[in-house]
Amino acid sequence: MATPSNKNSKSHKRNRRGHIGLNVPSIVLDQTTGEYRVSHRVSPSGVYNGKQVIDKK
């Protein structure tokens, strides 16, 4: 059986798992509407790239 000969410390284990983390979405302030939105997405008011693409009811 393959068993570890020594115990891995907490720092060694956490260094190995350093690539696992939270991804924070890039939120930008829309210049035309003044609303915050995720980049490359339609704003909550339906504006994208300075043009009204979705009609809000």
Side-chain angles (χ1 to χ4, degrees):
M1 277 175 70
T3 57
S5 58
N6 294 327
K7 178 185 176 183
N8 284 334
S9 66
K10 292 177 185 177
S11 64
H12 187 270
K13 178 171 49 176
R14 291 173 184 161
N15 280 336
R16 191 173 64 243
R17 295 178 181 171
H19 67 283
I20 302 170
L22 297 175
N23 293 330
V24 179
S26 56
I27 297 176
V28 296
L29 180 65
D30 195 359
Q31 297 297 325
T32 57
T33 61
E35 296 174 325
Y36 287 101
R37 62 175 176 81
V38 181
S39 61
H40 297 89
R41 301 292 190 276
V42 178
S43 69
S45 62
V47 177
Y48 183 76
N49 200 16
K51 300 171 188 168
Q52 187 73 28
V53 293
I54 298 174
D55 294 327
K56 295 234 6 174
K57 294 180 180 178

